[in-house]
Amino acid sequence: MSETNWPLYEVFLRPRDGLAHKHVGSLHASDDAMALQNARDVYTRRGEAMSIWVVPSKAIIASDPGDADTLLDPATRDRKPYRHPTFYDIPDEVGHM
Amino acid sequence: MYTQSLSLDKSAAPTAPEDAIYAGRFQAKVDAEHKVEPNDWMPEAYRKTLVRQISQHAHSEIIGMQPEGNWITRAPSLRRKLQLLAKVQDEAGHGLYLYSAAETLGTAREEMDDQLLTGKAKYSSIFNYPTPTWADIGAIGWLVDGAAIMNQIPLCRCSYGPYARAMILICKEESFHQRQGYEIMMTLSTGTPAQKAMAQDALNRWWWPSIMMFGPHDKDSQHSDTSMKWKIKRFSNDDLRQKFIDATVPQAEFLGLKIPDPALKFNTTTKHWETGPIDWDEFWRVVKGDGPCNKERMASKRSAHADGEWVREAALAHAEKERTRRRAAPHRLA
């Protein structure tokens, strides 16, 4: 086994123009160029992408699932229903709004 | 491609009192069919079971390239060669999707490689059988990939998000594998008597190992309950095996080939095909290392790993040199 391991990259694909890139998995590569090449070989063998992003995994700053109750839960539909259009009753006679 | 239900962790019981609270919440979440994601709290045994199952599955994909790779240079036509190359390339891809999913559980890729190379981790024992004829490529696609698909479709709904997502990618690609295998069998079965005999011989050799891929009978598979409770596994070994047999027997009939089981009969009451007894001694012999190709498969894997070491080191040295150069002359394009 090599003493230093190849770094981990996360792979994002944009299936078509007009859509956003979406995370599909990860891979190991010695550098950015190889990461892109490997992403092409591993994740796009059937024309799955119009564009590839690779990002060093350690560059991703993620929220902690343990904080979800305080960080994200206050914005859910149950807690703040008035942020959603269906909260408001508009009579049918008014028509589409 | 191939999981094989062998052993799961026994230590499912939570140890500390706070763990019991978390474990309760965890189970409620799984029961509600919510997915578990990488950084969520999960019982240690759940994590361990998944790492073992996913890495074993990944190793199987990687070792599985060997029996089929054996025929790439000798495929009977350019069309068949292209298909086989694409299929073997898919197996490599499947291995990598799965390693990627296992790594989200905190086990480094190198550690998994190491476990395979030292023999600590298992791979599906189906790959310890040889591929002496071209018909074996047909039989592997039809039967081995067919059995794998039966196993894998329920895994697309596995409670662990990254594993389920990897399985969705894999299942999409696996269908091509089975169909190309069956097409090879059709071509041989409608060919010369010698070609048909070759197809029959391949079926004779792959039938029993394929139905053993589903693992031991339910009554002998003691750890399945935990996996079911955690929704890693959704159907029992015997249920999946039965589905595979019921699907495959008519396919063999269509080919005009005979399933090598004199006891095989259709039960008109249950509407299922019933097979004769499975030789589990053979299964365990192959699992424990005494199959026809266990030594060869491991030797090839080890030498590929050792022979590639200088490449891995050189690539890192090159990356480091490029970084140094860029630091020295930042305006220069990489």
Side-chain angles (χ1 to χ4, degrees), chain B residues 26-306:
Chain B
F26 173 84
Q27 191 59 49
K29 180 168 152 175
V30 170
D31 290 342
E33 297 285 342
H34 291 177
K35 296 287 179 199
V36 180
E37 292 294 336
N39 295 322
D40 294 347
W41 187 93
M42 61 187 85
E44 237 1 78
Y46 176 84
R47 184 186 302 275
K48 266 198 200 152
T49 300
L50 276 172
V51 169
R52 186 178 314 162
Q53 179 171 331
I54 302 172
S55 64
Q56 180 180 295
H57 192 165
H59 298 329
S60 303
E61 302 282 353
I62 299 299
I63 297 290
M65 290 194 282
Q66 292 187 35
E68 294 185 285
N70 182 33
W71 279 93
I72 290 175
T73 56
R74 291 173 292 158
S77 67
L78 180 60
R79 179 174 177 267
R80 293 293 188 207
K81 182 182 283 203
L82 287 172
Q83 291 165 350
L84 187 56
L85 268 171
K87 180 173 191 287
V88 174
Q89 203 183 17
D90 275 352
E91 310 302 1
H94 297 177
L96 293 169
Y97 303 155
L98 289 161
Y99 283 128
S100 158
E103 277 185 286
T104 63
L105 291 156
T107 303
R109 171 74 175 280
E110 292 74 16
E111 199 179 323
M112 291 184 268
D113 284 344
D114 204 48
Q115 285 171 347
L116 174 61
L117 294 168
T118 56
K120 209 183 141 206
K122 296 254 182 278
Y123 55 87
S124 180
S125 39
I126 194 80
F127 301 115
N128 291 318
Y129 291 89
T131 46
T133 76
W134 170 250
D136 291 321
I137 300 306
I140 288 181
W142 171 36
L143 300 172
V144 177
D145 291 300
I149 292 171
M150 286 289 173
N151 242 320
Q152 290 171 343
I153 286 180
L155 286 172
C156 296
R157 293 191 293 128
C158 162
S159 60
Y160 188 58
Y163 190 27
R165 293 193 285 275
M167 290 316 308
I168 291 169
L169 283 181
I170 291 174
C171 284
K172 267 193 210 160
E173 301 183 350
E174 205 75 59
S175 173
F176 136 62
H177 297 183
Q178 191 186 15
R179 291 171 67 109
Q180 69 87 37
Y182 195 72
E183 196 199 72
I184 292 173
M185 294 303 272
M186 278 198 306
T187 307
L188 291 172
S189 303
T190 53
T192 64
Q195 286 171 325
K196 185 162 183 182
M198 193 196 269
Q200 180 64 56
D201 166 65
L203 171 59
N204 293 349
R205 283 179 291 106
W206 290 96
W207 172 254
W208 291 104
S210 299
I211 65 174
M212 288 183 210
M213 280 175 68
F214 296 93
H217 285 307
D218 297 345
K219 61 178 169 49
D220 305 317
S221 177
Q222 49 188 327
H223 302 306
S224 276
D225 291 351
T226 322
S227 257
M228 291 271 200
K229 187 182 90 181
W230 283 333
K231 298 192 193 288
I232 294 173
K233 196 176 168 147
R234 300 221 174 223
F235 297 98
S236 76
N237 295 355
D238 284 332
D239 286 352
L240 290 169
R241 181 169 16 246
Q242 189 62 55
K243 273 175 87 160
F244 173 71
I245 292 167
D246 289 341
T248 310
V249 172
Q251 292 167 357
E253 270 170 19
F254 183 83
L255 294 172
L257 300 179
K258 197 170 160 16
I259 303 268
D261 179 359
L264 186 75
K265 61 171 192 305
F266 189 70
N267 183 325
T268 47
T269 319
T270 61
K271 309 277 180 217
H272 288 304
W273 285 92
E274 289 170 1
T275 67
I278 296 172
D279 181 1
W280 292 109
D281 290 343
E282 173 183 330
F283 175 77
W284 289 112
R285 217 168 34 244
V286 181
V287 169
K288 287 179 181 143
D290 208 14
C293 299
N294 298 52
K295 289 188 184 72
E296 187 186 327
R297 301 288 183 246
M298 284 311 296
S300 303
K301 179 62 196 160
R302 286 193 190 109
S303 75
H305 191 78

Side-chain angles (χ1 to χ4, degrees), chain A residues 29-72:
Chain A
S30 61
D31 60 22
D32 299 352
M34 189 196 276
L36 211 47
Q37 181 70 42
N38 287 357
R40 168 197 178 271
D41 291 344
V42 177
Y43 291 99
T44 71
R45 286 189 305 283
R46 287 173 176 78
E48 288 89 341
M50 292 290 290
S51 160
I52 305 173
W53 284 354
V54 288
V55 180
S57 303
K58 61 175 192 236
I60 290 183
I61 298 145
S63 65
D64 182 344
D67 294 342
D69 283 352
T70 48
L71 184 70
L72 303 168

